[in-house]
Amino acid sequence: MNPLLLYMAKVAVSLAGLYAVYLLFLRNDTIYERNRFFILLSFLASLIFPFIIIETQQPINIQFFGKDLTGITLVAGNGSPAVGNAVLSWSRIILVIYLAGIMITGIRLLAEILSLLFLIAKQKNGTTNIIRLRNHNTSGFSAFGYIFIDAGVIPEEVDEIIKHEQKHLDNRHFFDILFIELIKVFQWFNPFIYLFDRSLREVHEFQADEECLNSGIPIPSYQGLILNQVFRTSVFNASNSFSNPTLIKKRMIMMTKKRSKALANLKILLVIPVLVLLLITFSTCAVKKNSAKVVTVTEVASAEPEPFVVVEEMPFFPGGDSMLLKYIAENTKYPEAAKAKGIQGKVIVRFCVTETGGVNRISVLKGVDAELDAEAIRVISTLPQFKPGKQGGKAVPVWYMVPITFALDGKGNKDIMPAPSTDIMPPPPPPPPPPPPPATSDKEGEGYTIVDQMPQFPGGDQGMLKFISENTRYPKEAKDHNITGKVITRFLVKKDGTVSNASILQGVNPLLDAEAFRVVSSLPAFEKPGIKDGKPVPVWYTVPITFSLK
């Protein structure tokens, strides 16, 4: 989700929770200064809370393989590949609607403020802050330090209305109104901001009424004054109005209500559990977001037992090593693009023969070119079942390594030569690619998973998604057989920003796996490497690529 939309959604949730406290426990008390303080504090807390995240340490048994980007979807069909088209489209639509709402409410507020300032400039008298209005259908209101009185109000009532509005000015109620109007511009979609707005205006009127009555005005005559003005309505939202008709009934009730005791102030402590719940909710969202990056990878890499390097009985390919070499040679296709460019060399592939004899955890230990590396990955992915290796009489996973040499004769004809069987069998390659907890050295193949500053691709994460999307080609054979799914790739961004150690963490089909591996291997250098303790370090990255058909 767009960061602005996410932030505003959290603000809306905070306002909803805090308004519930006000409505249930504070609204009917006559401690108006406390209620005003609570409402204003609720606005400030709602704006700040979304930025507060409680940091928690991940359990040791969870492996995190670097940064996990938004899934990339390669759609076969007409048009160019898309990066999460549906999600981005809906996100953009919502963002456009939200920004349009901000523009409309913002322009309306600005127009109202300018109208007030124009009215003040036109009507003000240098000797007083009282401004007389004609044909404005209002008994009186206050704003920007001025009191506005309708010229049609009878002289006997003018003094009482002025006294009431002066109480608003003395308590600086106008700044409260202006503050909430600004928040309403950005929270225009949130019904609770309008409920809070009404409650704040209620508190202002109750407070001004109470101070007027305390000055000696009899309650019956004061209530009669209000009723005389009930059919007059305020012109401006950004002001305090004496005769706001929506508040008349509640004002009448509160004038005669028994005063709340001082102990009622302790009710404000009831907000503490709500604040804690909001903090936990926002922090939980952050933890879940990180967990989503971990789960898929953990199921592939850490849920499986660690493969053996040497066992009592090594895996056996049907027909032996010679048949394994023959199978690879007969099923490997020299990429036309690599052939046209004259690219050749030895690709060293490593894979795991599982307890059931299947093949997984395929990676390139030493590559030559993205096209050749991808083809080597593809052909190894198609290997038939082995007889699994055994240790202590029990089938166990075992690492295997196969070098495949791609060579061209002088005429450009292909020659694919798997290395002799002595190269296929142990000693196998160094430890497996899934990294340990954050690395403490910069040895080849190791990398950090959590750093102070993640590597930055030219154009950011969106730039990377765009590059992969535009450069991934849906294999025709996979398209013809309706093969779809998500391939999870991983690679290392080295200290100089270059990409290496690409591998497939979770595959779908050899055709799709090979294409995902090829395009990730072809990523250009990152413009900024990962930084830890002020120094560039290698960092693991994880990118899921989804292949789907229209």
Side-chain angles (χ1 to χ4, degrees), residues 370-384:
E371 299 279 353
L372 301 186
D373 298 351
E375 178 58 19
I377 288 278
R378 185 198 65 79
V379 73
I380 295 299
S381 300
T382 66
L383 287 174

Side-chain angles (χ1 to χ4, degrees), residues 476-488:
K476 185 177 183 304
E477 188 176 346
K479 215 189 303 186
D480 294 340
H481 290 83
N482 293 321
I483 300 172
T484 63
K486 180 186 289 185
V487 180
I488 299 180

Side-chain angles (χ1 to χ4, degrees), residues 428-493:
T440 55
S441 66
D442 293 337
K443 294 179 182 179
E444 183 68 26
E446 291 188 358
Y448 287 85
T449 57
I450 301 175
V451 292
D452 301 329
Q453 182 179 331
M454 291 297 289
Q456 184 173 336
F457 190 83
D461 289 346
Q462 284 298 322
M464 179 190 294
L465 297 177
K466 183 179 180 182
F467 176 90
I468 296 177
S469 178
E470 292 178 349
N471 288 276
T472 304
R473 300 187 294 269
Y474 209 117
K476 185 177 183 304
E477 188 176 346
K479 215 189 303 186
D480 294 340
H481 290 83
N482 293 321
I483 300 172
T484 63
K486 180 186 289 185
V487 180
I488 299 180
T489 65
R490 188 191 62 167
F491 57 89
L492 185 72
V493 180

Side-chain angles (χ1 to χ4, degrees), residues 533-550:
D533 299 327
K535 297 180 180 180
V537 293
V539 179
W540 288 108
Y541 241 80
T542 304
V543 179
I545 304 177
T546 302
F547 293 81
S548 68
L549 293 167
K550 285 186 178 180

Side-chain angles (χ1 to χ4, degrees), residues 230-255:
V230 72
F231 295 109
R232 297 179 182 273
T233 56
S234 61
V235 179
F236 301 100
N237 286 327
S239 65
N240 293 104
S241 174
F242 176 77
S243 58
N244 190 330
T246 62
L247 303 179
I248 295 296
K249 181 180 178 181
K250 192 70 183 288
R251 288 170 68 185
M252 296 292 186
I253 295 172
M254 298 302 282
M255 284 181 201

Side-chain angles (χ1 to χ4, degrees), residues 22 48 71 86 128 157 316 391 442 509 524 539:
Y22 177 80
I48 295 172
T128 179
E157 298 177 341
F316 182 78
Q391 180 73 15
D442 293 337
N509 176 274
V539 179

